[in-house]
Amino acid sequence: MLVKVFGAALQGIDAILVTIEVSVVRGASFNMVGLPDAAVKESYQRVMTAIQQTGIEGPRRRVVVNLSPADVRKEGSAFDLPIAVGLLAGDEKMPSGALADYLIMGELSLDGTLLPISGALPMAIKARELGFKGMIVPESNATEAAVVNNLKVYGLHSLREVVDFLSGTLDIEPTVVDTRSEFARSSTIFEVDFAEVKGQETVKRAFEVACAGGHNILLVGPPGSGKSMMAKRLPTIMPPFTLAEALETTKIHSVAGRLRRGSRLMTQRPFRAPHHTISPVALVGGGSNPRPGEISLAHNGVLFLDEFPEFPRTVLEVLRQPLEDRHISISRARYSIDYPAGFMLVASMNPCPCGYYNHPTKACSCPPGAVSKYLARISGPLLDRIDLQVEILPVAFDDLAQTAPGEPSSGIRDRVCRARAVQQARFASEPGIHCNAQMTSRLIATYAPLTDQCRAILKAAMEKFDMSARAYDRIIKVARTIADLDGSEAIAPQHIKEAIGYRSLDRSSWGQQVPGLDPLPF
C-alpha cells in the first residue's frame, strides 16, 4: 500500500514542504531515497524499535520510503515521526484518511516518546501557508508552533498518542497561545535597568543616541569602568519589538535550536555576547549542517563584542558586509543560504594592552607605541562602520556612594521611541531605510543639510583634530539623531558639537592627552 505523509525541511530560516511517500508491498527489504543524511537514514532502527515498544507489530515486508522533493537534502532526526506514521498506515495498522490534513514532525526515542525538534515555528508558518488543517509536533514544541494563528497545533507525548489521534480514538484539544496579549505583557519586563548604573551620564547619553538612530558604538576605557555592565542594559532602552520583528527573530532562534522547551514568541530584543575565541563560521553561520551564526541570532537586537581587539582579524573582517547589507549570504559547494543580520554592533576595548593608559590614578606599563599598535588591530574599514566612539573613565567615589537611583530605562526608552517614530515617518518613502544610521550620502544631503554655521564648526573640528574623511558622514548622521531626540527639524550647532565629541578615535591626537581635556575649536 502506498501512503503519503507531509513534513517539512529547513532552508535558511524558512521551511519547505517535504512529502514522505511510503510503499509497503510484498518482500523483505528497506530502502530510503530522496537525499537523506546519516541521521535520517538511521531513523529506520529508531522507528522500528519505537513501533514495537508501542505495542504494534512493525511491517515485515518490502518498504520503500521516498522523501520528496528528491533534490533537496533532508537532515536531522525530525523525520522519525512522519516515517513511523507512514510505515503503520502503509502496513494498514492505522487508517490513512486523516494524513492529508496534518503536517507531522518529531523525533522518536526508542520507547516511542516524542523528543523536541528545531525549527517548529517556520514549519508551522509553512503549514498555515499551505492550508493544512493542523500540525502535529512533540509536546515541548507545541507552544512555539502555536504562536502561528489560524492553525491547530497538537502537542503529543508519544507515538501511541499520535496513532490514536489520527485513528480518531483519542480526542485532544489544540494548544492555544494568545500571542498579542502575551507579547504586550512581556515586552517591557526586564531583569536589569539603567537606574542601577551609578554615574557615567556621558556614556548613558551616548547609548541613548545610539539606540535612537540605530548607530553602532565603541566604548574605550579601562577595566572596571562599567563597559560590559552598561552594554547588557542596552535592550532595555531599545524600541520594543513589533510583532513582525518578534516573529522573525523567534524563527531564527527556532531554526538554530536556541529556544528553551515550552518557549513561545520572543518578546525582548536579543543580546548576544560571543567570546573573542569564536571562529568565523560560528559568527556568520554555515557549517556542514547550516545553522545561523551569532550575527543572525543578534538580528533585531545587539551584538556585543567585548575585548574588541582580541578577536582575530579574520573574524572581525567578516562583519563588514553584514553591517552594510543587514544580511549574510553563505555560499558553499552544497548550498547557498541567506540569513538576516540586522543587528546593532556594540564593542568595548581597553585603551592599551595593560588597560590603564590615561587612567586617572593608575600608571600605564605599556612600552612606547603600544597604544597605536593596539588600536591598529581593528581595521579602518571596520571602524568606518562604527558611528560613535566613546571614551569612558572609572566612576568617581561620590557617584558610587549615591543612594538615589538614576534615570530608569523606561524614561530613556520613551525618548528613543519618539525619535524612532520621527525617523520612520521621514523614511516612509525610502525602501529598506529604517533609521538614521542607514542613510546614504544622497539621503544625508536630503534629510540632514547643514547650515553655514554648522558646516564651519565641523570644518574647524576636522582640521584641528586631523579627522579622517570617513568621520564626516558619521558625524552628520549622529547629529541628525541628536536633533531628532531634541525634537528639532534642523541640525543646530549644539547638535553638531555633541556629535563631534563622539568621534574620539578619529582624532590624530588620540592617546596623547587625557580624554575630555582636548579643547574643541568652537
Side-chain angles (χ1 to χ4, degrees):
M1 182 178 177
L2 175 65
V3 298
K4 294 184 180 182
V5 184
F6 298 98
L10 297 173
Q11 282 194 333
I13 64 169
D14 297 313
I16 62 170
L17 181 68
V18 173
T19 303
I20 298 93
E21 300 175 321
V22 181
S23 172
V24 181
V25 296
R26 277 185 168 184
S29 64
F30 178 85
N31 296 98
M32 183 179 295
V33 295
L35 283 183
D37 73 346
V40 180
K41 289 179 180 178
E42 292 173 351
S43 65
Y44 178 70
Q45 300 299 331
R46 292 192 298 272
V47 166
M48 293 302 293
T49 304
I51 289 175
Q52 292 172 3
Q53 293 296 319
T54 304
I56 305 174
E57 184 180 356
R60 298 181 178 274
R61 295 189 286 172
R62 183 171 183 268
V63 176
V64 177
V65 178
N66 177 42
L67 306 175
S68 175
D71 59 344
V72 175
R73 188 166 183 80
K74 320 304 183 306
E75 298 174 338
S77 55
F79 291 98
D80 289 359
L81 181 58
I83 290 174
V85 170
L87 287 175
L88 292 174
D91 200 30
E92 300 182 351
K93 299 293 175 55
M94 60 173 287
S96 59
L99 298 183
D101 295 332
Y102 298 95
L103 190 145
I104 304 172
M105 293 296 285
E107 179 182 345
L108 284 172
S109 66
L110 294 183
D111 63 357
T113 302
L114 298 187
L115 302 178
I117 61 174
S118 299
L121 178 56
M123 293 176 185
I125 294 173
K126 175 58 68 172
R128 181 184 64 179
E129 177 186 320
L130 295 175
F132 282 97
K133 177 182 176 181
M135 181 177 181
I136 297 174
V137 293
E139 191 174 28
S140 53
N141 291 115
T143 53
E144 174 190 340
V147 166
V148 179
N149 298 324
N150 302 320
L151 179 72
K152 293 181 179 180
V153 175
Y154 298 91
L156 302 181
H157 177 70
S158 65
L159 176 59
R160 179 80 258 180
E161 287 187 358
V162 175
V163 172
D164 292 343
F165 174 74
L166 292 173
S167 301
T169 60
L170 178 63
D171 188 19
I172 297 178
E173 291 296 320
T175 302
V176 177
V177 174
D178 190 344
T179 305
R180 294 188 179 275
S181 63
E182 181 176 333
F183 181 75
R185 183 177 64 254
S186 306
S187 60
T188 57
I189 301 175
F190 298 94
E191 296 180 356
V192 294
D193 196 285
F194 265 101
E196 304 157 355
V197 179
K198 303 293 182 65
Q200 301 293 14
E201 299 303 323
T202 301
V203 183
K204 292 179 186 177
R205 171 64 175 178
F207 277 154
E208 179 180 340
V209 173
C211 290
H215 303 287
N216 302 317
I217 183 171
L218 172 64
L219 302 177
V220 184
S225 54
K227 302 185 295 291
S228 300
M229 177 193 64
M230 287 187 284
K232 291 177 182 178
R233 285 160 171 76
L234 262 178
T236 68
I237 65 173
M238 297 180 74
F241 262 149
T242 64
L243 202 54
E245 286 177 332
L247 191 62
E248 183 182 31
T249 307
T250 308
K251 279 175 61 178
I252 297 171
H253 286 251
S254 174
V255 169
R258 297 304 181 97
L259 294 180
R260 295 189 298 270
R261 292 190 178 187
S263 295
R264 303 184 183 184
L265 193 68
M266 292 180 64
T267 58
Q268 296 177 0
R269 294 186 180 273
F271 179 87
R272 305 296 301 180
H275 192 261
H276 60 76
T277 55
I278 190 172
S279 69
V281 172
L283 188 66
V284 303
S288 56
N289 296 322
R291 288 289 184 269
E294 288 292 333
I295 63 174
S296 295
L297 293 172
H299 181 62
N300 291 323
V302 175
L303 178 67
F304 177 53
L305 302 183
D306 199 7
E307 305 296 343
F308 200 36
E310 302 300 331
F311 283 79
R313 186 80 170 234
T314 53
V315 172
L316 293 180
E317 292 306 300
V318 300
L319 290 172
R320 287 162 54 178
Q321 182 256 338
L323 282 171
E324 290 291 331
D325 299 340
R326 297 177 64 84
H327 71 89
I328 179 71
S329 299
I330 302 171
S331 297
R332 300 290 186 267
R334 293 195 297 109
Y335 61 84
S336 180
I337 294 177
D338 280 357
Y339 289 124
F343 58 90
M344 176 180 167
L345 176 64
V346 181
S348 68
M349 59 178 285
N350 296 329
C352 66
C354 79
Y356 294 107
Y357 189 85
N358 274 341
H359 194 281
T361 59
K362 297 183 180 181
C364 174
S365 60
C366 297
V371 177
S372 57
K373 184 178 180 180
Y374 190 64
L375 181 62
R377 294 186 184 183
I378 309 170
S379 69
L382 184 56
L383 277 177
D384 185 27
R385 289 159 172 80
I386 300 177
D387 295 348
L388 286 85
Q389 305 158 359
V390 182
E391 294 180 74
I392 176 174
L393 293 176
V395 182
F397 176 81
D398 291 341
D399 291 331
L400 284 174
Q402 288 181 0
T403 57
E407 183 181 17
S409 295
S410 57
I412 304 174
R413 192 184 208 184
D414 288 342
R415 295 194 296 272
V416 169
C417 290
R418 287 196 296 269
R420 282 293 184 102
V422 171
Q423 294 167 50
Q424 289 175 1
R426 174 184 300 139
F427 302 124
S429 60
E430 303 290 344
I433 304 297
H434 310 288
C435 55
N436 290 332
Q438 297 176 269
M439 285 195 296
T440 62
S441 297
R442 177 184 65 84
L443 296 178
I444 291 175
T446 304
Y447 298 111
L450 298 182
T451 63
D452 292 340
Q453 184 181 4
C454 291
R455 191 174 291 107
I457 293 172
L458 181 53
K459 178 182 178 182
M462 294 192 69
E463 290 178 349
K464 179 177 177 62
F465 299 119
D466 192 23
M467 289 184 177
S468 61
R470 64 176 178 261
Y472 180 80
D473 283 353
R474 306 289 167 179
I475 290 173
I476 297 177
K477 289 181 182 181
V478 174
R480 176 68 270 173
T481 299
I482 297 170
D484 291 341
L485 284 168
D486 284 351
S488 173
E489 293 186 6
I491 298 176
Q494 65 269 24
H495 303 145
I496 205 79
K497 291 177 184 178
E498 183 178 350
I500 291 170
Y502 295 135
R503 297 298 299 183
S504 299
L505 300 188
D506 278 321
R507 303 181 187 181
S508 60
S509 61
W510 186 84
Q512 300 176 16
Q513 298 180 2
V514 177
L517 297 185
D518 225 1
L520 295 176
F522 36 72

